[in-house]
């Protein structure tokens, strides 16, 4: 009797196999994609060339695997992670991927590539991630090479709550095309819930980049690639973990106009293997009072399931142009639609939240509408303020409560006030580790470190100092701290004094902006100590900045450039080059937000 798979027969009857073996091979080959068949051909050729054993060196291939250059521009690691995911899948599908950080990108050499995929995040107010600034500028500038003959695709990451949503991905996509490259797959602009759409985009992009099968594009198997994969760092779990709050203290005095919570969290099954410099994401809950206000405004107060979803699953504060569009579509509200059509939505949403939209444009809103117009509630990142070597299975965070008023209404930051107002000792929180391998202590503990961390920016430096104390690092440590008032806002003052005494901190310079008529900031202290700072840097010190991205980090960088210019009598260009060289040597690192 004929084998059931015989109708898909691929191997000829003359193939040197038993009937049963031939049927089995036909079953596998019949279902295989062209790229899988090509891979198998390369694999078998390589195996023979290596004497029947998978070799440590690439086998002589019938034809090289398709090269694929994956660029990423990332600040907090999301684009970098996706670049890694893409590389893994690409390798499995017969490509030879090369992952390049924009930080290391030689723009001139791009012209030599064949397939380029760029994954880019947008930061600041529509700016590239700091580490990508140089290469991004070169690619956008007049000296950029022509990219004719290159197939490309761009994936952009962003956050719809920002006015310049995915600006960098959009600009790169247009730039590749303008330089002559051919778009292989449409750009996707993804919001914070990018996991699933990014995986889908990656799959489709690889499909689009895969050359049609032919006899001469048999894919080579790079046996070395397996070793690379095996060596890859174990990924932290993508699932959030539940932790218990074991300490909750306001670090500001009761007379401060700020509220900064020191939070100690304990992991039930042991803390994940975090390093100083990493962050922890908190999955917050919305303010129940705001949830009830939204339910009342929509006449949905009796819906308990909806209430729970609005509390813990949906983003019920952010108002983006997308939210207004979805609201207008779902409710058919003509005035809300007019806001979109007239182009006024962008200005109207400034400083407003979902509740303003619902109250300003009364309409029949159902539970389904509320779900479709809101996005999933995103977690918030917090720099870890502890070292495992000192706190064991705990993680410490420093969280400033965000409170302000716009359009006559008091507003509260979702996660920070959840922690400040509604979380107490014994409470549970859902969290996830967010590693940051670009913000790390020097490998050599005898290297000096300079840390600039005003406000909550001091968090990772508490971890740095704890770590260096635990390993008895011989290197010197210098902290610049700043806040509003010495008496009310000197976060961890006693701990810094102890650290100075035990030698884990060598120097501290503080700037309290509101203790004198003229404002004084950390960058002013850097200017005052320019000579000593340059001496430390010339002696090999590493420089770290954490905290506010919009003003502080830029002002601090300018202050370091000025320090080089004055102390060494350099031109502005040479002083800038000196700081750029520190950055390229990973000796000027920042973690800013
Ligand atoms: C890598 C990283 C590390 C971080 N580390 C820390 C840390 O150690 N400690 C810490 O406290 N934070 C840290 N943050 C910031 C933190 O993630 C949150 O963004 C912050 O706590 C606010 O979140 P929220 O949910 O309370 O506020 P949200 O609900 O997200 O609201 C914040 C938004 O409110 C608006 N807003 C805020 N103030 C005003 C104002 N005065 N006027 C008008 N609009 C305003 C802005 O649109 C702002 O984006 C870090 C961020 C990153 C990316
Ligand atoms: C301080 C800050 C500023 C941001 N600015 C923007 C922005 O202007 N436009 C945007 O679309 N997304 C913005 N984002 C969102 C990031 O692009 C988004 O979180 C992205 O997933 C980060 O990717 P990365 O981890 O690869 O850097 C900003 C995020 C932060 C924390």
């Amino acid at each position: 009797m004929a084998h059931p798979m015989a109708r898909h027969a691929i191997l000829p009857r003359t193939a040197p196999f038993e009937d049963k073996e031939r049927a089995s091979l036909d079953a596998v080959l019949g279902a295989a994609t062209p790229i899988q068949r090509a891979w198998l051909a390369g694999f078998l050729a390589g195996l023979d060339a290596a004497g029947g054993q998978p070799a440590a060196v690439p086998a002589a291939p019938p034809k090289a695997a398709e090269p694929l250059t994956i660029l990423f521009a990332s600040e907090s690691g999301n684009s970098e992670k996706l670049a890694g995911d893409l590389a893994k899948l690409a390798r499995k599908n017969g490509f030879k991927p090369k992952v390049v950080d924009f930080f290391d990108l030689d723009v001139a050499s791009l012209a030599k590539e064949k397939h380029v995929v760029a994954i880019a995040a947008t930061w600041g107010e529509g700016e590239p991630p700091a580490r990508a600034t140089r290469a991004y500028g070169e690619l956008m500038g007049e000296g950029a090479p022509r990219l004719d003959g290159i197939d490309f695709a761009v994936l952009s990451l962003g956050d719809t709550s920002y006015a310049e949503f995915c600006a960098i991905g959009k600009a790169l996509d247009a730039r590749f095309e303008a330089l002559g490259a051919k778009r292989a797959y449409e750009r996707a602009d993804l919001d914070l819930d990018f996991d699933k759409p990014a995986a889908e985009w990656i799959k489709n992009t690889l499909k689009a980049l895969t050359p049609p099968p032919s006899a001469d594009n048999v894919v080579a198997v790079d046996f070395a690639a397996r070793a690379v994969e095996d060596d890859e760092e174990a990924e932290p779990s993508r699932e959030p973990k539940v932790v218990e709050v074991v300490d909750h203290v306001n670090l500001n005095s009761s007379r401060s106009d700020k509220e900064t919570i020191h939070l100690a969290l304990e992991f039930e099954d042991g803390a994940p293997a975090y390093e100083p410099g990493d962050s922890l994401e908190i999955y917050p809950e919305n303010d129940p009072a705001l949830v009830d206000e939204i339910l009342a405004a929509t006449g949905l107060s009796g819906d308990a399931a909806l209430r729970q979803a609005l509390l813990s699953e949906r983003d019920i504060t952010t108002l983006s142009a997308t939210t207004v569009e979805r609201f207008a579509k779902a409710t058919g509200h003509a005035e809300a639609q007019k806001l979109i059509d007239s182009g006024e939505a962008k200005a109207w949403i400034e400083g407003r939240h979902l509740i303003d939209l619902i109250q300003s444009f009364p309409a029949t809103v159902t539970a389904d509408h509320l779900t479709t117009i809101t996005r999933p509630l995103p977690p918030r990142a917090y720099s870890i303020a502890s070292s495992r070597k000192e706190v064991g299975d705990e993680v410490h965070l420093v969280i400033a409560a965000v409170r302000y008023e716009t359009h006559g209404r008091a507003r509260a930051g979702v996660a920070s006030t959840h922690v400040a107002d509604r979380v107490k000792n014994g409470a549970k929180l859902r969290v996830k580790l967010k590693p940051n391998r670009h913000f790390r202590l020097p490998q050599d503990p005898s290297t000096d470190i300079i840390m600039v961390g005003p406000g909550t920016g001091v968090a990772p430096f508490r971890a740095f100092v704890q770590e260096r104390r635990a390993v008895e690092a011989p290197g010197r440590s210098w902290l610049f701290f700043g806040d509003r008032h010495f008496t009310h806002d000197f976060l961890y003052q006693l701990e810094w004094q102890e650290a100075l005494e035990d030698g884990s901190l060598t120097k501290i310079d503080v700037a309290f902006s509101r203790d004198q008529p003229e404002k004084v900031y950390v960058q002013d202290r850097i200017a005052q100590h320019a000579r000593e700072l340059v001496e430390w840097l010339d002696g090999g010190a590493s420089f770290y900045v954490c905290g506010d991205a919009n003003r502080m980090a830029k002002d601090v960088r300018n202050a370091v450039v000025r320090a080089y210019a004055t102390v060494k009598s350099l031109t502005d260009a040479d002083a800038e080059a000196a700081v750029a060289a520190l950055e390229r040597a990973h000796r000027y690192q920042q973690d800013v937000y």
Side-chain angles (χ1 to χ4, degrees), residues 74-79 121-124 126 158-159 162 164-166 192:
S74 187
E75 183 90 39
S76 63
N78 296 336
S79 312
T122 300
W123 277 73
D159 178 342
Y162 285 88
E164 300 301 328
F165 176 55
C166 283
L192 295 177

Side-chain angles (χ1 to χ4, degrees), residues 76 123 161-162 260 279 284 317-318 351 353 378-384 397-406 411-418 434 436 456-457 459-460 546 591-593:
S76 63
W123 277 73
S161 73
Y162 285 88
T260 313
S279 295
T317 50
T318 300
H353 286 172
R380 268 66 167 177
Y382 295 95
S383 311
I384 292 179
L397 306 176
V398 191
I399 302 181
V402 171
R403 302 183 208 276
Y404 58 97
E405 193 179 310
T406 47
R411 320 269 174 181
V414 173
S416 60
T417 61
H418 175 59
K434 195 149 205 297
N436 182 355
T456 55
C546 181
D591 187 18
V592 295
Y593 44 85

Side-chain angles (χ1 to χ4, degrees), residues 10-346:
I10 288 175
L11 297 183
R13 285 191 155 285
T14 50
F17 292 100
E18 298 290 325
D19 277 358
K20 249 169 86 182
E21 289 168 338
R22 196 153 44 83
S24 302
L25 285 168
D26 275 348
V28 172
L29 294 175
T33 62
I35 209 84
Q36 283 171 327
R37 288 192 217 175
W39 183 91
L40 204 54
F43 176 80
L44 293 174
L47 200 64
D48 281 348
Q53 290 296 318
V57 290
K63 183 172 185 295
E66 279 296 306
L68 173 64
T69 302
I70 303 166
L71 310 177
F72 69 85
S74 187
E75 183 90 39
S76 63
N78 296 336
S79 312
E80 183 172 5
K81 171 82 184 61
L82 292 178
D85 291 350
L86 169 56
K88 267 187 214 161
L89 194 66
R91 208 175 286 130
K92 280 193 187 131
N93 281 277
F95 286 91
K96 191 164 197 268
K98 177 174 71 176
V99 178
V100 182
D101 187 345
F102 256 70
F103 180 80
D104 301 312
L105 177 62
D106 172 13
V107 172
S109 73
L110 260 187
K112 292 196 290 251
E113 307 297 346
K114 188 172 174 196
H115 306 302
V116 176
V117 176
I119 305 182
T122 300
W123 277 73
E125 299 295 334
E127 293 157 32
R131 291 160 33 76
T133 310
R134 176 201 52 84
Y136 179 79
E138 287 173 18
L139 194 56
M140 291 294 157
E142 282 179 4
R146 290 290 305 168
L147 300 178
D148 305 282
I150 291 180
D151 288 334
F152 81 97
V154 174
L155 178 64
S156 34
L157 295 193
D159 178 342
T160 47
S161 73
Y162 285 88
E164 300 301 328
F165 176 55
C166 283
I168 297 305
K170 288 174 186 170
L172 280 176
D173 188 49
R175 186 62 175 156
F176 276 115
E177 186 171 47
L179 292 172
K182 191 168 133 260
R183 190 177 289 101
Y185 194 67
E186 283 305 310
R187 186 189 78 240
D189 299 328
L190 304 184
D191 203 354
L192 295 177
D193 52 336
F194 57 80
D195 274 352
K196 275 194 193 136
E200 191 65 16
W201 186 90
I202 283 174
K203 214 174 66 195
N204 292 334
T205 300
L206 276 179
K207 220 182 265 173
L209 288 169
T210 303
S214 72
D216 73 339
N217 67 10
V218 170
V219 177
V221 180
D222 182 354
F223 288 107
R226 227 182 90 198
V228 173
E229 272 182 34
D230 292 345
D231 279 355
E232 276 164 10
E233 275 180 44
E235 276 179 28
S237 157
R238 286 193 173 206
E239 291 307 310
K241 295 237 187 284
V242 175
V243 291
E244 183 179 332
V245 175
V246 291
D247 205 7
H248 183 286
V249 181
N250 180 7
L251 297 173
N252 300 97
S253 89
S254 56
R255 287 174 51 214
S256 172
D257 44 8
K258 296 177 86 177
E259 190 181 356
T260 313
I261 306 298
H262 165 84
L263 195 68
L265 306 170
E266 194 170 68
F267 284 79
E268 283 166 10
D269 316 325
Y274 70 83
E275 295 292 325
D278 289 344
S279 295
L280 194 73
E281 288 185 323
I282 291 189
Y283 288 77
E285 287 206 354
N286 285 305
D287 180 357
L290 179 62
V291 170
D292 290 336
E293 202 176 349
I294 289 174
L295 290 173
T298 50
L300 294 165
S301 295
D303 190 333
L306 177 64
R307 185 171 190 279
Q308 189 50 46
L310 296 189
L311 266 178
S312 56
E313 289 164 26
R314 311 303 301 173
D315 180 348
I316 59 162
T317 50
T318 300
L319 188 59
S320 64
T322 315
T323 328
V324 181
E325 268 170 39
R326 288 180 185 161
F327 175 86
K329 194 162 165 238
T331 60
H333 201 295
E335 291 299 309
Q337 188 57 48
K338 221 165 99 189
L339 209 55
I340 299 284
D341 297 341
S342 65
E344 288 164 29
K346 215 171 174 175

